[in-house]
Amino acid sequence: MTPPLPPALQGLTRFWWDAADYLASAAQKRLGLWPVAAKPFLPRAELEPLAGLVGFLEAVLRRLFCLAALELGPLPPQAPAPIQPPRTGAPVPAGAQTGRKPAAPRFRLRESARQVSRTPPKPHFRTGPRIRFLDADTPVDLRDYPPQPTDILPAGKLVRRVLAINHALDHAAEYIDRMRRLMVTGTRILRASVPPAFHSRKLRHLQQESARQLHAFTRDLLPPDTS
């Protein structure tokens, strides 16, 4: 167990735990996730700001879980569960209802690194929309149409991310234990650079500064990457 966090950092983490809970509730309401996922599609003008909020909240949550795990100390790796023999009995017919609810999406603790392509994209020389023939099966190229705020876009991926955030907040102790076991492996958990969401112009100056302080404290306390 590591020494307790400094008082300033304790106050910072308490603020962001409360803020994360409030922001997750706000995102859930904006997606119509009560009582069911009611908005599988959203206009671009609503989807893009909400996606930025969700990305910001994910970055904050990972750093809060890291700080809580660092304060409690690492845990040994969990032993694999024993393999259960298959049950003997009548087979379950295909399509039969088992009575189980679908599992909630799980929040990803490790921050994925940016994928940088080594080969540049192929150049596209375009002078305008292509000529299409009505009797030909020509796929629609969305680059022919500029994005508009009123475009209707699928929100299924964003719904799953918000559900995963709420699952992490509802089961914070479980995620902290997972983070403590993850730290034993010595793999990189967070990116060293400040998340782009912490530089968003939609945040107030004090919010930006507070989020960057949270990142700086977490980065300084995390052990070096040995992977």
Side-chain angles (χ1 to χ4, degrees), residues 79-160:
I83 300 176
Q84 298 291 340
R87 296 182 179 179
T88 58
V92 180
Q97 296 291 335
T98 60
R100 295 182 180 179
K101 295 182 180 180
R106 309 287 283 185
F107 182 72
R108 190 179 70 249
L109 291 175
R110 293 183 59 183
E111 204 162 54
S112 58
R114 293 183 180 180
Q115 299 294 332
V116 180
S117 178
R118 296 184 179 181
T119 57
K122 296 181 180 179
H124 294 278
F125 302 98
R126 307 187 64 84
T127 57
R130 295 176 299 172
I131 298 176
R132 298 189 178 93
F133 299 94
L134 297 179
D135 58 347
D137 187 13
T138 306
V140 177
D141 191 348
L142 295 179
R143 292 173 300 178
D144 291 345
Y145 306 94
Q148 299 292 335
T150 55
D151 293 340
I152 302 300
L153 303 178
K157 184 176 180 181
L158 195 59
V159 167
R160 291 190 295 272

Side-chain angles (χ1 to χ4, degrees), residues 14 20 30 32 54 71 99 107 120 132-133 139-140 159 170 181 183 190 194 222 224:
R14 281 196 299 268
R30 289 169 65 179
V54 171
E71 189 174 16
F107 182 72
R132 298 189 178 93
F133 299 94
V140 177
V159 167
D170 292 339
R181 291 189 175 94
M183 288 178 174
L190 303 177
V194 179
L222 271 176

Side-chain angles (χ1 to χ4, degrees), residues 16 58 63 66 68 81 94 103 106 127 129 159-160 164 169 182 210 220:
W16 280 113
E58 289 171 339
R63 281 146 184 84
C66 275
R106 309 287 283 185
T127 57
V159 167
R160 291 190 295 272
L169 288 170
L182 187 61
S210 179
D220 294 340

Side-chain angles (χ1 to χ4, degrees), residues 2-225:
T2 58
L5 301 177
L9 183 53
Q10 291 180 8
L12 186 65
T13 54
R14 281 196 299 268
F15 166 78
W16 280 113
W17 275 117
D18 293 339
D21 187 68
Y22 171 79
L23 293 175
S25 299
Q28 187 171 350
K29 291 178 182 178
R30 289 169 65 179
L31 276 173
L33 289 177
W34 182 260
V36 293
K39 292 184 179 179
F41 297 92
L42 284 175
R44 185 187 300 273
E46 296 182 28
L47 183 68
E48 290 183 347
L50 187 55
L53 171 63
V54 171
F56 173 80
L57 187 53
E58 289 171 339
V60 167
L61 266 183
R62 290 190 182 100
R63 281 146 184 84
L64 290 176
F65 285 137
C66 275
L67 290 173
L70 287 168
E71 189 174 16
L72 294 174
L75 280 178
Q78 193 171 13
I83 300 176
Q84 298 291 340
R87 296 182 179 179
T88 58
V92 180
Q97 296 291 335
T98 60
R100 295 182 180 179
K101 295 182 180 180
R106 309 287 283 185
F107 182 72
R108 190 179 70 249
L109 291 175
R110 293 183 59 183
E111 204 162 54
S112 58
R114 293 183 180 180
Q115 299 294 332
V116 180
S117 178
R118 296 184 179 181
T119 57
K122 296 181 180 179
H124 294 278
F125 302 98
R126 307 187 64 84
T127 57
R130 295 176 299 172
I131 298 176
R132 298 189 178 93
F133 299 94
L134 297 179
D135 58 347
D137 187 13
T138 306
V140 177
D141 191 348
L142 295 179
R143 292 173 300 178
D144 291 345
Y145 306 94
Q148 299 292 335
T150 55
D151 293 340
I152 302 300
L153 303 178
K157 184 176 180 181
L158 195 59
V159 167
R160 291 190 295 272
R161 291 170 64 188
V162 173
L163 290 175
I165 288 172
N166 281 277
H167 185 270
L169 288 170
D170 292 339
H171 303 83
E174 174 189 341
Y175 280 87
I176 291 172
D177 286 346
R178 286 175 52 195
M179 181 67 78
R180 294 170 68 186
R181 291 189 175 94
L182 187 61
M183 288 178 174
V184 178
T185 62
T187 58
R188 182 175 61 182
I189 300 172
L190 303 177
R191 292 199 301 259
S193 58
V194 179
F198 291 178
H199 292 284
S200 175
R201 295 181 179 179
K202 297 179 182 179
L203 297 176
R204 297 178 181 177
H205 174 71
L206 292 179
Q207 292 173 328
Q208 289 182 353
E209 184 178 356
S210 179
R212 294 173 196 169
Q213 286 179 356
L214 182 71
H215 170 77
F217 277 123
T218 311
R219 181 193 57 197
D220 294 340
L221 292 175
L222 271 176
D225 180 18

